Amino acid sequence: QVQVVESGGGLVQAGGSLRLSCTASGLTFNSHGVGWFRQAPGKEREGVSCISWTGPTYYGDSVKGRFIISRDGATVHLRMNSLKPEDTATYYCARAFGMTCSGSWSQPNQYDYWGQGTQVTISS
């Protein structure tokens, strides 16, 4: 079965940290970029970060300086620091079509496989 699985979500107070993880089953992240997106109720899906197979990373303006994306073998992590109530959303991991996070990395149509999402809630 082909799956992308996110984990690590939860409820955290503002100012706290969380680390999300993303793994693949039945497919590989090798030679692919991997992105994180989030979607809050009533809002469009927003590109949070992307890591290319070769290493370069990209961040959305709203999380730059607070979030860090990384790879550890076949797992992609998103370390989220200094969390704010506006970071509350369902967070999704997705595999990019290509090796790199292109200039359009924040567009959902650049990704072929998606996870089901993990809920992140930040209390004020």
Side-chain angles (χ1 to χ4, degrees):
Q1 186 177 4
V2 174
Q3 279 187 308
V4 173
V5 180
E6 305 94 341
S7 62
L11 172 63
V12 175
Q13 285 191 328
S17 298
L18 277 175
R19 189 179 78 159
L20 305 183
S21 299
C22 176
T23 59
S25 174
L27 69 153
T28 182
F29 286 157
N30 289 353
S31 299
H32 288 268
V34 176
W36 283 96
F37 288 75
R38 66 186 182 186
Q39 189 166 20
K43 294 190 176 182
E44 290 189 356
R45 193 163 294 194
E46 174 190 9
V48 174
S49 183
C50 186
I51 184 166
S52 297
W53 172 244
T54 51
T57 58
Y58 302 80
Y59 297 93
D61 288 342
S62 62
V63 306
K64 205 169 291 184
R66 299 188 297 123
F67 290 12
I68 301 171
I69 191 171
S70 63
R71 285 184 187 261
D72 177 12
T75 302
V76 176
H77 300 289
L78 184 70
R79 176 70 178 182
M80 307 187 296
N81 300 315
S82 302
L83 284 161
K84 306 174 182 180
E86 50 264 45
D87 294 318
T88 295
T90 300
Y91 283 70
Y92 299 91
C93 175
R95 190 184 78 168
F97 283 109
M99 291 182 65
T100 61
C101 302
S102 68
S104 301
W105 71 266
S106 63
Q107 300 304 309
N109 62 12
Q110 300 298 305
Y111 300 83
D112 54 4
Y113 289 98
W114 291 79
Q116 293 298 306
T118 185
Q119 178 65 37
V120 171
T121 303
I122 312 302
S123 62
S124 58

